[in-house]
Amino acid sequence: MNDATQQPVMIDARDIKKAFGTTQVLRGVSLKISRGEVVAVIGPSGSGKSTFLRCLNHLETIDSGSVQVEGATLASTDASGKCTYAAEPEVRRICSKMGMVFQHFNLFPHLTVLENIIEAPMIVQKLSKDEAISRAEKLLAKVGLSAKRDNYPSRLSGGQKQRVAIARALAMEPDIMLFDEPTSALDPELLG
């Protein structure tokens, strides 16, 4: 930070390149995001937006470039062009700072809404079931779905599934939220 008004950098991605076979999807994408910033990545379908988000949180590996999250290096490329990732425990620690809401929700169909939300906080953060439920209930109220807590995803509309996915990501209390078309299934009056 250069002065007191500048916010810390949350994500610093530089020259990200990613190919699937011979198809070059990301061709040197760079992005720096500071705390409190809201950034939208806009482009046509198939332009690599989802792939870029997945590269930021290690759901996809980059071919070259670098990714830093809150100053910690997730991936870097050396002078010879070899891209390496941090050791697995460090990757998990870095990635735990990020939550992601997927374009297609990715809810567990065999779990209720409440169970979908409490699963990760209980397993990853070792929260007690009571603590996880308390957190989940607050989030369900925030997204207007308290009455759906015992429903299975198959009984929800697309917009309801999307709101559950948002609540599930927020339940981990991440420092950074990545959204892959988060409002695509929401009713217009719920976009705010």
Side-chain angles (χ1 to χ4, degrees):
M1 295 190 311
N2 296 335
D3 64 14
T5 60
Q6 189 176 8
Q7 293 294 318
V9 174
M10 301 300 285
I11 296 176
D12 188 0
R14 295 183 189 200
D15 200 28
I16 303 299
K17 294 180 181 157
K18 174 68 179 172
F20 294 104
T22 59
T23 304
Q24 192 72 28
V25 179
L26 301 175
R27 297 177 181 97
V29 178
S30 296
L31 177 71
K32 187 182 280 191
I33 303 172
S34 297
R35 180 177 298 282
E37 273 191 289
V38 177
V39 176
V41 179
I42 300 170
S45 180
S47 64
K49 301 178 302 293
S50 296
T51 299
F52 180 64
L53 290 178
R54 293 173 64 84
C55 287
L56 293 178
N57 66 5
H58 195 45
L59 293 174
E60 292 285 352
T61 56
I62 62 174
D63 297 331
S64 67
S66 68
V67 177
Q68 287 191 336
V69 177
E70 294 183 340
T73 300
L74 177 65
S76 61
T77 302
D78 64 22
S80 71
K82 183 177 189 299
C83 183
T84 56
Y85 277 82
E88 192 56 35
E90 180 69 356
V91 167
R92 282 194 303 273
R93 187 191 70 75
I94 293 168
C95 290
S96 72
K97 296 173 179 283
M98 291 184 274
M100 182 158 177
V101 178
F102 297 91
Q103 184 175 357
H104 299 291
F105 323 125
N106 293 3
L107 299 176
F108 298 114
H110 63 291
L111 299 179
T112 65
V113 165
L114 183 69
E115 291 167 337
N116 262 281
I117 296 171
I118 68 172
E119 184 81 5
M122 287 174 40
I123 291 173
V124 177
Q125 296 177 334
K126 308 294 186 218
L127 251 57
S128 71
K129 188 170 186 176
D130 289 341
E131 289 174 303
I133 288 173
S134 174
R135 187 183 289 180
E137 286 173 338
K138 288 175 188 164
L139 289 166
L140 284 172
K142 195 170 194 168
V143 298
L145 288 176
S146 295
K148 301 290 186 182
R149 67 172 272 174
D150 297 321
N151 287 42
Y152 287 90
S154 63
R155 297 288 185 193
L156 302 176
S157 70
Q160 290 169 334
K161 289 177 188 175
Q162 189 72 25
R163 287 185 277 157
V164 171
I166 291 169
R168 182 179 62 182
L170 290 172
M172 294 297 290
E173 299 181 339
D175 295 343
I176 300 164
M177 284 293 297
L178 304 174
F179 292 93
D180 191 2
E181 298 195 29
T183 59
S184 61
L186 295 182
D187 300 323
E189 66 272 10
L190 296 173
L191 292 180

